[in-house]
């Protein structure tokens, strides 16, 4: 068990550019979550997957945000036409997805800075 | 809508002193309750969780929390704080009967520990 990993750890981009982040969950976990954390705030839920199915995406911040989990393993979060307000920490978490007491394990996050 | 309030943005305690971090939630039923800790550059780590049963729950690193239904609270405590406890602490709620739904977090309490 190597934990949840996220890449890159840091990303600096210019406004208007597209960025993509990757999350590799714990191997046997079938649920994967994306959260965003801005300075001084707690994590805010964005979207989540059960295997490759995206169960909730209405909380994605705008249509510039999209996420995929094509084979039910790793996931990507893409932000198109980045804006300065997108600067934040993007967190990924995974859980076993069975039973009602499975906890979420978080990765270290990807810090995005939009200049 | 579900919400979590952590009234204290920043708390400073002396090493060896006791600690209590406050958390109040708003939810239609008794949710699942969590406390996470986040150290700089680290992901969120689960300290403890409450699903049902005994209202006093024990966690890792000597932390405990007490669920009080009448007060809609889930305060985190530690009898003797260590310098390594300095971090950001987040209270979170999840839908009852499912530990696998997205979490709603409070804004966090930053703990500083002085000698």
């Amino acid at each position: 068990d190597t934990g949840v990993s996220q890449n890159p750890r840091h990303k600096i981009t210019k406004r208007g550019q597209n960025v993509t982040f990757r999350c590799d969950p714990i191997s046997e976990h079938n649920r994967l979550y994306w959260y965003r954390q801005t300075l001084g705030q707690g994590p805010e839920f964005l979207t989540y997957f059960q295997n490759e199915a995206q169960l909730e995406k209405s909380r994605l911040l705008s249509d510039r945000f999209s996420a995929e989990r094509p084979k039910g393993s790793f996931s990507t979060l893409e932000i198109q036409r980045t804006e300065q307000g997108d600067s934040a920490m993007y967190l990924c978490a995974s859980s076993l997805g069975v039973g009602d007491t499975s906890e979420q394990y978080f990765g270290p996050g990807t810090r995005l800075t939009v200049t | 809508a579900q919400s979590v309030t952590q009234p204290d943005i920043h708390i400073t305690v002396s090493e060896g002193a006791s600690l209590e971090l406050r958390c109040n939630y708003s939810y239609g039923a008794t949710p699942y309750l969590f406390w996470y800790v986040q150290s700089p550059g680290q992901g969120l780590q689960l300290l403890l969780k409450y699903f049902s049963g005994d209202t006093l729950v024990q966690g890792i690193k000597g932390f405990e929390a007490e669920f009080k239904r009448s007060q809609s609270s889930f305060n985190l405590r530690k009898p003797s704080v260590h310098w390594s406890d300095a971090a950001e602490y987040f209270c979170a709620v999840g839908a009852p009967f499912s530990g696998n739904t997205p979490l709603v977090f409070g804004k966090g309490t930053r703990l500083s520990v002085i000698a």
Side-chain angles (χ1 to χ4, degrees):
Chain A
D1 176 4
T2 58
V4 178
S5 62
Q6 293 186 246
N7 287 288
R9 294 291 305 276
H10 302 273
K11 178 71 176 179
I12 300 174
T13 192
K14 293 185 178 180
R15 187 176 54 189
Q17 298 295 305
N18 299 343
V19 294
T20 300
F21 310 139
R22 175 176 171 130
C23 172
D24 287 89
I26 294 172
S27 58
E28 66 269 25
H29 286 185
N30 55 16
R31 286 216 171 177
L32 186 149
Y33 311 77
W34 285 99
Y35 294 83
R36 185 181 80 153
Q37 186 178 17
T38 54
L39 201 60
Q41 302 294 316
E44 173 190 15
F45 166 70
L46 296 178
T47 188
Y48 76 127
F49 295 84
Q50 169 86 16
N51 299 314
E52 64 274 13
Q54 192 169 13
L55 299 184
E56 172 67 67
K57 58 182 179 180
S58 65
R59 307 286 286 277
L60 286 167
L61 299 163
S62 78
D63 58 7
R64 297 183 297 105
F65 287 71
S66 63
E68 293 183 340
R69 194 182 184 197
K71 297 183 179 179
S73 56
F74 73 91
S75 175
T76 58
L77 178 69
E78 182 182 17
I79 308 173
Q80 296 182 329
R81 305 181 303 282
T82 53
E83 301 173 357
Q84 287 190 320
D86 297 331
S87 296
M89 177 77 84
Y90 291 85
L91 297 168
C92 176
S94 70
S95 70
L96 201 50
V98 294
D100 65 353
T101 57
S102 178
E103 67 182 78
Q104 295 179 28
Y105 293 81
F106 283 80
T110 294
R111 182 169 294 284
L112 173 66
T113 302
V114 182
T115 62
Chain B
Q2 308 99 315
S3 67
V4 177
T5 301
Q6 295 182 246
D8 305 303
I9 296 174
H10 183 207
I11 285 182
T12 300
V13 300
S14 299
E15 190 169 16
S18 63
L19 170 71
E20 182 170 28
L21 302 182
R22 297 182 289 165
C23 172
N24 293 95
Y25 65 88
S26 174
Y27 205 90
T30 299
Y32 285 175
L33 296 157
F34 306 83
W35 273 100
Y36 283 84
V37 61
Q38 186 177 39
S39 300
Q42 304 294 315
L44 292 159
Q45 181 182 23
L46 182 67
L47 286 175
L48 47 77
K49 58 193 177 187
Y50 173 77
F51 292 143
S52 65
D54 193 345
T55 57
L56 184 64
V57 294
Q58 302 297 320
I60 62 171
K61 304 184 180 184
F63 286 93
E64 67 178 27
E66 186 173 13
F67 167 60
K68 292 186 177 180
R69 185 190 310 272
S70 62
Q71 299 177 17
S72 297
S73 69
F74 189 56
N75 294 349
L76 181 71
R77 299 194 295 248
K78 186 170 185 177
S80 177
V81 168
H82 188 262
W83 64 266
S84 61
D85 293 325
E88 189 92 21
Y89 291 80
F90 294 95
C91 181
V93 300
F97 310 114
S98 175
N100 291 292
T101 57
L103 300 177
V104 175
F105 285 85
K107 292 186 177 182
T109 298
R110 183 161 62 92
L111 174 66
S112 297
V113 181
I114 58 176

